[in-house]
Amino acid sequence: MFVRDAKARCPHLTVVPYNFDAYGEVADQFYGILHKYCTKVQALSCDEAFLDMTECLHDNPEEVTERMRNEIFGTTKCTASAGIAENRLLARLATRSAKPNGQLFISSEKVDDYLSTLPIKALPGIGYTVSDKLKSKEVEHCGQLRNISKDALHKDFGKKISNMLWNYCRGIDHSVVEAVQETKSVGAEVNWGVRFNENKDADNFLVNLSREVSLRLQGCGLQGRTITLKVKTRRKGAGEPLKFMGCGDCETMSRSTTMTGATDNLVTLQRIARQLFAALHVDVKEVRGVGLKMSKLEHADLGRGAQQGNMLKSWLGSSSEKLKKQCSERTCFLGNSDGILTCQRSCRSHYQ
């Protein structure tokens, strides 16, 4: 339940503030337990991770998963849900089905049955535009999607999205669990609480967002040559989102530019971010999310190298504090009320 709805039902509700120190402590305990059972852990956030359990195949993956979940609860007093399947996609879906505080194993024999009635919008990476277009063709479940040829999907959605749809509705996912991931971009994005009344508000936001990206680059000992600005605007006719101050139903647009030399300079980032934002010609009152990203990364000057080289290794390491808090893609989840694990029988596990 959203806080807005809870307060509407209970006007005298006391809302407890965030406690990030406690979150960090629990995240450390959470990942410590995962690494006791598995050496190949891909962290996605402070409470989400994928585990490649192939090395544990001599044990029953369901029993191993249950032991991990019990230890997580015993140590942190936070429940954890887990999905076990042959790849990351299915493990992630299994985790969702396992909530709250459960675990689900989707064996290869059960994949077709599980996916046949699964709503297409439950697949990761499927947004409003794709799901609405398929719904207009009376295609709402993966079983129905399987009846559409790959050529027809290519025609309607293009090669990238059509290939993803074709594979996902069949439970196909070739991505692997990567304990250490190469950093291809460094950025920051905010999609909650973004509401501007005038251009000055947007400008101040860009200044602060650029500062955050600059600090992250410097913290990793990296500089970038390509800067990309992504802006989400409220879709025409869309109402207020269910989540208070959320982004809701949006359209996404972006602009990027590539410089001749790499930089992490704050003033440069602020100047280019402003230029890119102006080039989008958006009504600032309709903006619901803004992201700034640096790519085509290079190592920073050796003047800062030694210290930041160590920081980069720390940020990339799957067991490091940085990676526990800053990850992308899906693997293992943990929340204050429920966390996830995912296993594959080659074997992948997903925790939240």
Side-chain angles (χ1 to χ4, degrees):
M1 180 181 295
F2 297 121
V3 172
R4 176 186 60 187
D5 299 329
K7 296 195 73 171
R9 298 185 184 187
C10 304
H12 303 295
L13 179 71
T14 299
V15 180
V16 179
Y18 294 112
N19 187 342
F20 290 105
D21 289 339
Y23 300 161
E25 181 180 354
V26 170
D28 285 339
Q29 295 170 337
F30 172 68
Y31 277 96
I33 293 169
L34 297 186
H35 281 279
K36 282 175 57 178
Y37 290 87
C38 180
T39 60
K40 198 168 186 180
V41 178
Q42 180 180 340
L44 302 184
S45 69
C46 65
D47 61 359
E48 175 182 3
F50 280 118
L51 281 68
D52 185 338
M53 303 290 288
T54 306
E55 62 187 36
C56 302
L57 284 181
H58 55 280
D59 295 322
N60 185 316
E62 293 183 84
E63 293 179 358
V64 175
T65 299
E66 187 170 4
R67 290 202 300 270
M68 278 191 280
R69 292 178 52 240
N70 288 337
E71 187 169 348
I72 289 169
F73 181 76
T75 303
T76 69
K77 302 302 183 238
C78 295
T79 59
S81 293
I84 310 166
E86 63 187 24
N87 60 44
R88 291 182 12 149
L89 167 68
L90 294 171
R92 181 181 179 187
L93 294 172
T95 300
R96 292 178 180 176
S97 299
K99 291 184 176 182
N101 191 26
Q103 66 182 59
L104 175 65
F105 173 41
I106 303 177
S107 64
S108 57
E109 297 82 8
K110 297 179 180 179
V111 171
D112 285 347
D113 289 340
Y114 177 84
L115 291 175
S116 61
T117 58
L118 185 76
I120 293 171
K121 61 184 180 181
L123 296 174
I126 305 301
Y128 291 103
T129 302
V130 174
S131 60
D132 287 349
K133 191 170 183 177
L134 288 169
K135 187 176 181 180
S136 69
K137 299 176 181 291
E138 298 184 349
V139 177
E140 299 185 55
H141 298 90
C142 289
Q144 296 169 316
L145 183 57
R146 291 178 197 160
N147 296 325
I148 303 178
S149 68
K150 185 177 289 189
D151 289 339
L153 290 173
H154 280 179
K155 182 178 179 180
D156 288 337
F157 299 103
K159 184 176 181 179
K160 182 177 180 181
I161 294 179
S162 64
N163 285 342
M164 179 181 70
L165 288 170
W166 197 89
N167 286 328
Y168 279 13
C169 73
R170 291 167 172 79
I172 300 171
D173 181 13
H174 299 298
S175 62
V176 298
V177 176
E178 298 176 343
V180 178
Q181 299 169 292
E182 178 186 1
T183 304
K184 295 183 178 180
S185 65
V186 174
E189 184 171 352
V190 181
N191 295 317
W192 182 87
V194 179
R195 299 292 188 274
F196 304 139
N197 293 318
E198 54 186 1
N199 290 333
K200 183 179 179 181
D201 297 332
D203 187 74
N204 289 336
F205 189 92
L206 290 172
V207 167
N208 291 325
L209 191 64
S210 300
R211 180 178 294 109
E212 177 63 24
V213 174
S214 176
L215 289 172
R216 292 185 182 188
L217 283 166
Q218 293 170 16
C220 295
L222 297 171
Q223 296 179 337
R225 290 197 301 115
T226 296
I227 181 170
T228 302
L229 179 74
K230 182 171 73 172
V231 176
K232 290 187 175 184
T233 57
R234 184 176 68 91
R235 190 182 300 277
K236 186 176 181 180
E240 282 299 310
L242 292 175
K243 183 177 182 179
F244 178 66
M245 294 295 282
C247 62
D249 187 4
C250 290
E251 295 180 337
T252 302
M253 57 189 76
S254 64
R255 289 288 186 277
S256 63
T257 186
T258 300
M259 300 168 284
T260 56
T263 186
D264 59 12
N265 181 265
L266 173 59
V267 175
T268 301
L269 266 59
Q270 290 174 341
R271 173 175 56 81
I272 296 177
R274 285 166 165 158
Q275 292 173 349
L276 294 174
F277 187 83
L280 292 173
H281 302 291
V282 297
D283 180 354
V284 296
K285 293 183 179 179
E286 300 298 318
V287 174
R288 295 294 181 266
V290 184
L292 190 66
K293 177 178 70 175
M294 294 292 292
S295 55
K296 294 190 176 180
L297 302 176
E298 303 175 6
H299 288 285
D301 294 338
L302 294 177
R304 299 199 306 262
Q307 177 183 359
Q308 295 187 349
N310 292 332
M311 293 177 70
L312 177 59
K313 291 179 181 178
S314 175
W315 191 79
L316 288 173
S318 64
S319 62
S320 69
E321 181 179 352
K322 283 289 184 180
L323 189 55
K324 292 168 195 170
K325 297 179 181 178
Q326 302 177 37
C327 294
S328 58
E329 298 298 342
R330 301 286 195 278
T331 295
C332 196
F333 305 146
L334 173 69
N336 283 347
S337 60
D338 196 49
I340 297 178
L341 165 74
T342 303
C343 287
Q344 178 177 341
R345 236 193 223 272
S346 58
C347 187
R348 302 293 179 273
S349 290
H350 182 237
Y351 274 96
Q352 187 168 357

